[in-house]
Amino acid sequence: MRPRLFGATASVAALGLLGSLVTACGLSGSDGGTTLRLVAAEYGDSTATSSKAYWDKLTAAFSAAHPGKKVEVTLYPWADVDREVTRMVKENNAPDVALMGAYSDFAAQGRLYAASELLPVRAEANFLPPLAEAGSVGNALYGLPFVASSRLLVYNEELFDKAGAKPPRTWSDLKSAAKALKKEGVLYPYALPLGPEEAHAEALIWELSNGGGYTDGTGGYNIASQENAQTFRWIKDNLVGPALTGPVPPAELNREDAFAAFLRGEVGMVNGYPSLLHEARAKGMKVRTQSMPVSDTLSDGETPPAVGVADWMMAFKHDDNRELVSSFLDFVYQDKNLIEFAARYHLLPSTVSASRASKDAGADHGAEQFLTALRTAQLYPVNEPSWLQVSNTIKRNIGKAVAPSADPQVVLEDIAQQALDEATQG
C-alpha cells in the first residue's frame, strides 16, 4: 500500500498475533519443482481477519488441481515483510513468490522473472494499465499488481449539513468548509495525516491537486518543484496556521489515527480509500466521497489524477521453479480468487476482467467511484529502485514542511537532496 495498501499496516495488537502465523520454510526456492514457497504480507489485524484463512483455502484448491504440488505460506506483518524478504535474498534463500510493497530493487538485481516468462499474453494484458505501468521496468513487467486502491476525499455528510458547508471543489472551497466545521466544534475539520506511517500518500494527493508530484515528465525525482513548494506553503498558511487540521500537529498524526477519529465522528474531511468508506457505512454514518479539490490556480476543468496504490506479486528465479511458479500465478490471478481477496479487505482487484466481474456482481457496494479513479490514477514511482528508501525519507520529513516556523521550499530541498543521494547510491 511505503506504498502500503491502503495502508494495511498491522496494529500493535495484530503484531503479537502475527508471529504465530509465520510457518516454517524449506531452503532456497521450490523443492524439486513440487513445493512452492510464498512469503506474503498479512492484511488482517486479528485472528478473524487474518489472511491465513484465504491462503489456506487457495493453496488447498491449487494442490487439488495440481496433484503432487504444494505451497508453503509464510505471513509477516507489513512492518516486517520487506525487510524479511530482503534478508532472505541476501542469504540466498529467496522465496519463489513474494507479495509485498516493493519489487524494483530485486528487478534491478536481475533476480525476478518477467511476467512474459510466466503468464499467457492474455493474462499479462489483463492488468489495469496504470498498475501495469507502475509494475514495469523498461518494457518488462516484473511487479504483478495484486490488489489496489485509489484515494478520494471522504467527508461526513451529517457534519457538513450541520455546519452548512458545501462539498469542496477547490482549495478555497475546502478552506471555507473547514472554517464552517470548526465553528460548529468539529475537532478535525480537515484531518491532515503527515505522520511517518503514510505521509507520502497524503503529500502526493496534495501535490497532484496542484499539478505537481514526486517526478517530472522524464520520470526523475522532482520533489522540490515550484508547484510542490506552493502546495505546502498553501497548506501551512491556510489550514495548519488557522488551526483547521485538528489538535494533533500534522507531522505527528498518522493515517490510522486520522481514520479512527473519522469513525468516531470527530473529522469533517479526510483522504481515504474503500475500506474506510465501508467501515463508516457499517457504523451507520452518512458519508460521501469525491475527488480531491484542486488548486485555485489550475485551469478550469483540469482534473488531476487520483493517487493509486498497489501491492505486488513478484517471482524469484530458481533453477527448477519456473513451471511451478507459472502454474501458481495463473491460478492466483483467476477472477474468482482475486475478487475474493479484494472483497475480504474492501480493496480493488488489479485486473480488467476481475474489476468488471466484481462490478457486475455488485461486490463491495460503494467502491465503484474508487475503481473509476484507479483507472486513471498516478501511482508512486515504485519502478525506481531507490523508491523504498526515498519514500521512507519523505514519510519521516514531509510533515516538517507545514510546521509553523518552516520554510516549505527548504524542507523539500532537503528531502530532494536525500532522495538524490539514495538514488545515486542505488
Side-chain angles (χ1 to χ4, degrees):
M1 64 210 221
R2 47 157 306 117
R4 193 70 30 297
L5 249 194
F6 352 116
T9 305
S11 66
V12 172
L15 293 178
L17 161 77
L18 295 178
S20 65
L21 299 179
V22 180
T23 61
C25 297
L27 294 176
S28 63
S30 57
D31 179 14
T34 61
T35 301
L36 181 141
R37 290 176 53 211
L38 168 66
V39 173
E42 168 62 76
Y43 284 69
D45 60 4
S46 68
T47 301
T49 62
S50 172
S51 303
K52 184 176 186 298
Y54 172 85
W55 292 114
D56 283 351
K57 178 181 175 182
L58 182 136
T59 56
F62 174 78
S63 295
H66 299 80
K69 310 295 184 183
K70 64 178 181 178
V71 181
E72 293 180 352
V73 180
T74 304
L75 300 178
Y76 287 106
W78 271 114
D80 300 335
V81 65
D82 284 2
R83 181 179 66 252
E84 288 299 320
V85 172
T86 299
R87 175 186 60 78
M88 293 176 191
V89 170
K90 288 181 178 178
E91 295 174 355
N92 198 30
N93 189 31
D96 297 290
V97 177
L99 170 58
M100 48 193 278
Y103 72 89
S104 56
D105 47 350
F106 302 127
Q109 296 168 26
R111 296 181 180 273
L112 302 181
Y113 288 111
S116 59
E117 299 176 89
L118 300 170
L119 299 176
V121 173
R122 57 165 178 76
E124 185 177 357
N126 194 28
F127 292 111
L128 291 167
L131 305 184
E133 180 179 352
S136 298
V137 177
N139 295 319
L141 179 65
Y142 291 100
L144 310 183
F146 184 59
V147 282
S149 178
S150 60
R151 303 301 172 89
L152 295 172
L153 187 73
V154 184
Y155 63 93
N156 186 315
E157 192 174 11
E158 291 183 357
L159 294 181
F160 264 63
D161 289 346
K162 183 179 179 181
K166 296 181 180 180
R169 299 300 172 189
T170 66
W171 286 0
S172 291
D173 294 341
L174 188 150
K175 179 181 179 180
S176 296
K179 290 172 66 177
L181 289 162
K182 182 182 179 182
K183 187 176 180 180
E184 285 297 322
V186 176
L187 193 60
Y188 295 86
Y190 177 86
L192 183 67
L194 291 177
E197 180 189 348
E198 207 189 31
H200 61 315
E202 182 72 15
L204 183 57
I205 291 167
W206 278 94
E207 290 168 359
L208 291 177
S209 70
N210 191 36
Y214 290 138
T215 58
D216 57 24
T218 66
Y221 289 121
N222 196 26
I223 295 170
S225 68
Q226 180 180 348
E227 292 84 359
N228 291 349
Q230 290 172 345
T231 295
F232 289 99
R233 189 170 294 111
W234 189 94
I235 296 171
K236 174 189 170 185
D237 294 343
N238 292 275
L239 295 181
V240 180
L244 298 177
T245 56
V248 179
E252 300 175 17
L253 181 64
N254 282 322
R255 174 202 47 80
E256 184 178 2
D257 297 327
F259 283 10
F262 185 87
L263 294 172
R264 293 194 301 266
E266 299 172 352
V267 174
M269 299 170 276
V270 66
N271 281 302
Y273 42 76
S275 62
L276 177 64
L277 179 64
H278 173 84
E279 290 183 55
R281 289 180 172 171
K283 291 173 63 72
M285 298 175 66
K286 292 178 63 179
V287 296
R288 290 187 178 273
T289 59
Q290 64 165 65
S291 58
M292 175 67 186
V294 299
S295 163
D296 297 75
T297 62
L298 288 187
S299 48
D300 290 342
E302 188 173 350
T303 304
V307 168
V309 186
D311 289 332
W312 310 96
M313 282 276 192
M314 62 212 73
F316 287 89
K317 293 179 179 179
H318 295 292
D319 290 341
D320 56 357
N321 73 340
R322 179 173 168 180
E323 182 179 351
L324 179 58
V325 168
S326 176
S327 298
F328 179 70
L329 291 177
D330 192 50
F331 190 82
V332 167
Y333 281 97
Q334 290 179 16
D335 287 350
K336 63 179 182 179
N337 294 328
L338 202 54
I339 290 170
E340 181 179 344
F341 190 93
R344 181 179 179 87
Y345 297 105
H346 310 291
L347 300 172
L348 305 175
S350 59
T351 65
V352 174
S353 61
S355 298
R356 184 181 300 120
S358 180
K359 178 180 177 181
D360 291 344
D364 204 0
H365 176 68
E368 185 173 345
Q369 192 174 2
F370 288 94
L371 179 58
T372 299
L374 182 63
R375 294 190 181 107
T376 57
Q378 180 167 320
L379 279 75
Y380 306 123
V382 291
N383 45 13
E384 166 55 55
S386 65
W387 170 245
L388 187 58
Q389 290 73 34
V390 170
S391 65
N392 284 331
T393 298
I394 293 170
K395 286 188 288 185
R396 293 192 310 269
N397 294 286
I398 197 69
K400 300 174 184 176
V402 298
S405 60
D407 181 338
Q409 182 72 57
V410 172
V411 173
L412 293 179
E413 287 175 354
D414 287 345
I415 295 174
Q417 183 59 54
Q418 292 183 59
L420 177 62
D421 293 344
E422 287 157 352
T424 301
Q425 292 171 7

